[in-house]
Amino acid sequence: MPSAAEKWENPMETWVLSRDDIADVVTAVGRDALMRRVVDRLAEGFADVGRGARELSPLRDGFERAEPVQGIFEWMPHRDPGDSITLKTVGYSPANPHHFGLPTIIGTVARYDDSTGALTALMDGVLLTAIRTGAAAAVASRLLAAPDSRVLGLVGAGAQAVTQLHALSLEFPLERVLVWDTDRAHRESFARRAAFTGLDVEIADPARIVAEADIVSTATSVAVGAGPVLPDGPHREHLHINAIGADLVGKTELPLSLLRRAFVTADHPEQAHREGECQRLAPHQTGPGLTLLAAEPALAHEQRGALTVFDSTGFALEDALAMEVFLQVAAEHGLGSRIQIEHHPADALDPYALQPAPTPAGR
């Protein structure tokens, strides 16, 4: 598998995409084209896993903290043997926007050479996480949702809701968006933040969202044990739900009665049964994982027309695939800097040989 950063690789250097470089990546191709590339790359990568050509990432792990603000810090690894290891470190701090003016999710993504362990690339993980989460929901929705879906419901109107809407608006002929958030400022500002999609946005309570939407995405910071954020009320027969926010043991967004009636697929089944919506279901109560559905779409299409749920916990293969897209765009447009971060001594056996080793010929 050729590295996305192959043209930049140098054993002495790390390819760094700064904040400005990330902005230039988006500008270079446009947000729609970038999102479409990530959606397509995730669909291909998921199908590779489903066919056995690629492995699922290991379970993520991390630290939980209560002070000074509640949150978690996680590490999410993925390995493509013989090519690279991708590691995302990510902090989830729901109080960040209010207390510090920072995103709820902050992270960085690093890529290492699988043979040498050298750090080959480093970039922001904030935009990447938002885009790949929206893209994963788009992959699941185009497999399971009604192709003519026109009404999207969003419960949780934070940063993740923007990319949920963006990704889904590129896959479906959406006409209306119904949005709700317990934070008044979030729900009232969403139309402005989503104006680039050109879609009509209307504030609606969760019961109305469930009743009228063809597709619903939930992306909330509901506290452990405080859900559900949706009622199990009347809904369209073909309703599809992307459950995004469950990412801790005990944190869930959907009513258990609804889950038990639905066809449920998860991005990473083992992780979802540990900390996603699936943590309240037995393995036999869930359907095939999303990667198998991506490899065999007919299995998903059989479920169209009925209630379906995508349990999205997020895993590192998604980050690795999205990083490939960012690096490819950066390479196409000559973006990023090459920095000598690692100390590679002139004598590999002497860490005090402070003069760097000469760059191999041809590099």
Side-chain angles (χ1 to χ4, degrees):
M1 180 185 303
S3 170
E6 184 175 0
K7 66 178 288 185
W8 291 78
E9 283 180 353
N10 183 315
M12 296 293 295
E13 297 172 340
T14 301
W15 185 14
V16 178
L17 299 188
S18 69
R19 172 180 176 174
D20 289 342
D21 294 320
I22 296 298
D24 288 342
V25 164
V26 178
T27 300
V29 295
R31 67 183 88 187
D32 286 0
L34 182 63
M35 178 64 82
R36 286 192 175 101
R37 286 174 72 157
V38 176
V39 171
D40 290 343
R41 185 62 61 87
L42 260 61
E44 294 167 1
F46 291 166
D48 284 343
V49 174
R51 289 191 290 264
R54 206 165 185 172
E55 295 295 323
L56 267 182
S57 310
L59 295 173
R60 62 190 175 204
D61 204 350
F63 304 112
E64 292 190 40
R65 53 173 158 72
E67 299 294 340
V69 292
Q70 186 177 19
I72 56 175
F73 189 86
E74 297 179 319
W75 44 92
M76 303 172 63
H78 179 78
R79 182 186 180 214
D80 285 309
D83 179 60
S84 62
I85 294 170
T86 303
L87 178 66
K88 184 170 80 169
T89 53
V90 57
Y92 168 73
S93 307
N96 267 2
H98 178 72
H99 289 290
F100 306 114
L102 295 172
T104 297
I105 296 174
I106 294 180
T108 54
V109 188
R111 177 155 292 180
Y112 301 87
D113 182 84
D114 186 52
S115 299
T116 67
L119 177 64
T120 59
L122 182 68
M123 65 172 286
D124 159 68
V126 176
L127 180 61
L128 178 146
T129 299
I131 288 178
R132 65 80 153 150
T133 306
V139 173
S141 297
R142 72 185 183 187
L143 286 167
L144 292 166
D148 61 347
S149 294
R150 286 175 165 76
V151 181
L152 172 65
L154 297 169
V155 177
Q160 294 292 329
V162 175
T163 50
Q164 288 291 308
L165 170 56
H166 185 204
L168 292 166
S169 73
L170 299 175
E171 295 290 333
F172 296 91
L174 298 180
E175 297 173 353
R176 288 192 298 140
V177 182
L178 305 177
V179 63
W180 177 257
D181 196 296
T182 56
D183 187 310
R184 180 177 179 178
H186 288 186
R187 65 179 182 259
E188 291 185 350
S189 68
F190 185 77
R192 171 184 56 79
R193 290 180 279 123
F196 70 93
T197 64
L199 290 167
D200 292 331
V201 174
E202 181 180 352
I203 295 172
D205 63 65
R208 182 181 165 204
I209 288 174
V210 170
E212 297 184 15
D214 300 296
I215 301 171
V216 173
S217 287
T218 59
T220 73
S221 296
V222 64
V224 170
V229 301
L230 278 182
D232 185 3
H235 59 79
R236 295 188 174 182
E237 187 176 0
H238 59 263
L239 175 63
H240 171 70
I241 300 173
N242 299 302
I244 309 299
D247 50 15
L248 288 170
V249 176
K251 179 186 176 186
T252 58
E253 296 181 315
L254 305 185
L256 180 57
S257 56
L258 182 149
L259 277 177
R260 286 175 171 164
R261 291 188 292 105
F263 172 85
V264 181
T265 186
D267 53 0
H268 193 299
E270 183 181 2
Q271 185 169 276
H273 279 284
R274 185 182 72 175
E275 58 192 62
E277 296 295 330
C278 291
Q279 65 187 279
R280 296 175 293 162
L281 299 176
H284 73 272
Q285 293 177 298
T286 60
L290 181 61
T291 58
L292 183 57
L293 299 184
E296 301 182 36
L299 295 177
H301 297 169
E302 292 173 359
Q303 305 300 325
R304 283 180 177 169
L307 176 65
T308 56
V309 171
F310 168 46
D311 187 1
S312 172
T313 57
F315 65 107
L317 173 60
E318 297 172 350
D319 302 304
L321 295 167
M323 188 182 198
E324 289 175 8
V325 173
F326 275 86
L327 293 177
Q328 286 176 344
V329 175
E332 291 164 7
H333 296 274
L335 301 172
S337 302
R338 288 171 286 178
I339 301 175
Q340 294 186 2
I341 294 176
E342 297 175 332
H343 171 46
H344 297 167
D347 180 349
L349 300 180
D350 180 4
Y352 290 109
L354 299 179
Q355 294 300 316
T359 301
R363 291 282 186 173

